[in-house]
């Protein structure tokens, strides 16, 4: 293996330590803790684990965690009432409605009712527009975490060729916007892209966010490129009845060629919640009118 391993777990820990300091100074300045509210509808086990982890990490960083749980058969109107109450609550700086929502709810409609200045997921169209026009707003957590790892590794990204594989609203599209803002030449590839291997081979930066286990092979990677693997796929393990996590990149072959690569697990994954806490703390400072050097955290 030649590639350096990008340690997202260690990076996220260091970020949380910086956040804890800023959360303490926010509390000293305002007499209240920065607050993050998470709304979970239904009993999806993966979402429950995720929400519990968010709550624990929020408290560990010295912020207030509010959890609202609704049954899977709650009406959309009930959910909208919860969001409206959180919008109006001055103790709540950030609101996250855990996705996916049950099928009878309109996700876009629900997200559109979140106050854009509390939308720490960066999913509201106002924040999507702010990102694409270079205005301050909130940026989705996973792509922002990827940019932090890339800048930590490479310094300036200016002029680099970047390929994003995947065009989701949550990762692919905001990732492309962020890379463009860093002056990369950006290609967004997807399931209809022709000659994907050739497209990937041109790239100094490859961000894989397609949700297809080990799809990107080492032979596709330009020697020395930086590879960011957003995929988290559970596949059968060698041992009967067991499973293991793999990314969208074939790690073993890619690590022979890349300059640096994020592992799965331990790469991008740990960054998402840490960046969520960062966004919530940023929201708290903005909403309370307390100065914060956002670029420094
Ligand atoms: N479900 C899985 N990841 C996320 C996320 O980052 N935000 C929200 N709201 N739901 C999710």
């Amino acid at each position: 293996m030649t590639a350096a391993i990008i340690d997202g777990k260690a990076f996220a820990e260091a970020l949380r330590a910086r956040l804890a300091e800023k959360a303490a100074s926010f509390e000293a300045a305002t007499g209240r803790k920065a607050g993050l509210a998470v709304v979970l509808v239904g009993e999806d086990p993966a979402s429950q684990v995720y929400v519990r982890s968010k709550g624990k990490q929020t408290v560990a960083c010295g912020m207030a965690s509010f959890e609202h749980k609704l049954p899977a058969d709650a009406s959309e109107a009930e959910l909208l009432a919860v969001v409206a109450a959180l919008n109006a609550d001055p103790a709540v700086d950030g609101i996250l409605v855990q996705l996916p929502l049950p099928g009878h709810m309109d996700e876009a409609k629900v997200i559109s009712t979140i106050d854009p200045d509390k939308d720490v997921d960066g999913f509201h169209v106002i924040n999507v527009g702010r990102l694409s026009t270079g205005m301050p707003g909130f940026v989705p957590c996973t792509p922002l975490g990827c940019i932090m790892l890339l800048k930590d590794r490479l310094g300036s990204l200016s002029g680099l060729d970047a390929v994003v594989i995947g065009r989701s609203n949550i990762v692919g599209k905001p990732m492309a916007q962020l890379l463009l803002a860093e002056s990369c030449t950006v290609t967004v590839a997807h399931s209809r892209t022709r000659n994907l291997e050739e497209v990937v081979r041109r790239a100094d930066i490859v961000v894989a966010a397609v949700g297809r286990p080990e799809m990107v092979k080492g032979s596709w990677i330009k020697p020395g490129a930086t590879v960011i693997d957003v995929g988290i796929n559970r596949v059968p393990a060698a041992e009967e009845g067991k499973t293991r996590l793999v990314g969208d990149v074939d790690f073993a072959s890619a690590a022979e060629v890349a300059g640096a690569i994020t592992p799965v697990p331990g790469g991008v994954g740990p960054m998402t919640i840490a960046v969520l806490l960062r966004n919530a703390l940023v929201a708290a400072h903005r909403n309370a009118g307390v100065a914060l050097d956002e670029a420094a955290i």
Side-chain angles (χ1 to χ4, degrees), residues 50 96-99 121 123:
Y50 206 53
L96 178 144
V97 177
Q98 183 69 22
L99 303 180
D121 258 329
F123 292 169

Side-chain angles (χ1 to χ4, degrees), residues 9-208:
K9 188 162 177 271
F11 193 99
E13 267 168 29
L15 173 56
R16 286 199 304 270
R18 295 197 295 282
L19 294 174
E21 276 178 30
K22 299 292 178 197
S25 54
F26 178 84
E27 188 175 357
T30 62
R32 70 170 182 91
K33 288 185 194 292
L36 172 63
V38 175
V39 185
L40 174 63
V41 185
E43 264 115 52
D44 175 60
S47 291
Q48 283 180 326
V49 170
Y50 206 53
V51 165
R52 208 171 307 130
S53 185
K54 278 174 193 160
K56 273 194 199 155
Q57 292 189 34
T58 304
V59 171
C61 267
M63 298 163 63
S65 170
F66 306 95
E67 274 179 29
H68 293 265
K69 293 190 175 159
L70 276 69
D73 61 356
S75 69
E76 189 178 272
E78 285 174 78
L79 175 57
L80 294 179
V82 170
V83 172
L86 295 172
N87 282 341
D89 187 343
V92 172
D93 297 291
I95 302 168
L96 178 144
V97 177
Q98 183 69 22
L99 303 180
L101 290 170
H104 64 282
M105 294 187 178
D106 178 345
E107 285 186 359
K109 181 178 170 193
V110 172
I111 290 166
S112 75
T113 67
I114 298 173
D115 178 345
D117 295 330
K118 295 189 177 189
D119 169 38
V120 284
D121 258 329
F123 292 169
H124 193 293
V125 287
I126 295 261
N127 282 316
V128 176
R130 286 170 172 163
L131 173 60
S132 66
T133 56
M135 289 167 66
F138 291 104
V139 175
C141 303
T142 301
L144 184 53
C146 294
I147 282 285
M148 286 178 174
L149 294 177
L150 282 167
K151 288 172 81 171
D152 182 60
R153 171 79 202 162
L154 297 171
S156 169
L157 310 184
S158 180
L160 296 179
D161 278 313
V163 169
V164 180
I165 314 173
R167 54 177 158 177
S168 69
N169 290 338
I170 294 179
V171 182
K173 286 179 198 164
M175 189 73 229
Q177 290 290 353
L178 285 168
L179 289 163
L180 192 56
E182 295 296 331
S183 302
C184 290
T185 302
V186 184
T187 303
V188 183
H190 46 76
S191 54
R192 302 287 175 90
T193 296
R194 281 179 284 168
N195 302 324
L196 180 60
E197 300 184 30
E198 274 173 41
V199 171
V200 171
R201 206 168 287 120
R202 286 202 299 267
D204 304 301
I205 294 170
V206 179
V207 180

